[in-house]
Amino acid sequence: MDPFLQAAIEEAEQGLAEGGIPIGSVLVHAGGIVGRGHNRRVQQGSSILHGEMDALENAGRRSAAFYQGCTLYTTLSPCAMCSGAIVLYGIPRLVIGEHDTFMGEESWLQERGVEITVANDVRCIELMRAFIRDRPHLWAEDIGT
């Protein structure tokens, strides 16, 4: 397995263990993780701390040139908010663990030049299916429905 996707899965599992939503993400630059995070909306009482947003926040302030050399790994297809951040910062590559349980803004991202790889990872799918089954109200809140 890709070690960066594995790191994102570990973040998702940590979020679930904390009572949150199992979505994790890592930002990679020059072959190393520079930011990692997981959905912490529940834990922090936040309206915006999705996994991708948390990873970007934890990477700290960076230049546009820095982001243009990054790849973002996420366990689930990114929502409109997270997709906007990817485009805003010019992150050119995105690796998605799965998009079976939720199809985010992949077409919109591709139209804006983001290269997308979908891993169809079984662990990512299982994490989300179990979470959606067990906590449908929290999932609906997280995706704005």
Side-chain angles (χ1 to χ4, degrees):
M1 169 178 280
D2 182 312
F4 300 126
L5 183 57
Q6 179 60 40
I9 292 169
E10 290 166 6
E11 286 290 327
E13 291 171 337
Q14 181 178 343
L16 184 62
E18 294 169 355
I21 300 162
I23 302 169
S25 186
V26 296
L27 184 65
V28 175
H29 184 270
I33 295 172
V34 295
R36 57 190 320 139
H38 53 275
N39 187 306
R40 295 189 305 139
R41 290 187 66 245
V42 173
Q43 301 90 312
Q44 298 294 321
S46 171
S47 60
I48 62 169
L49 273 182
H50 283 191
E52 300 90 339
M53 302 299 274
D54 194 38
L56 289 169
E57 176 71 14
N58 290 327
R61 184 175 167 196
R62 303 291 183 153
S63 70
F66 180 87
Y67 288 117
Q68 292 166 5
C70 287
T71 301
L72 184 69
Y73 287 75
T74 183
T75 58
L76 185 65
S77 186
C79 72
M81 176 179 64
C82 297
S83 294
I86 292 164
V87 169
L88 176 68
Y89 292 111
I91 298 168
R93 290 170 302 284
L94 176 65
V95 177
I96 298 169
E98 67 104 347
H99 61 193
D100 290 355
T101 60
F102 176 78
M103 175 60 77
E105 303 299 323
E106 293 176 34
S107 294
W108 185 82
L109 286 163
Q110 287 173 322
E111 289 168 6
R112 281 148 185 82
V114 178
E115 175 189 324
I116 296 176
T117 302
V118 180
N120 294 315
D121 183 83
V122 173
R123 182 66 184 135
C124 293
I125 295 168
E126 289 173 352
L127 272 170
M128 285 309 300
R129 282 190 180 154
F131 177 77
I132 292 167
R133 181 193 65 233
D134 296 343
R135 302 192 66 191
H137 63 285
L138 185 55
W139 173 239
E141 174 191 318
D142 194 61
I143 59 171
T145 61

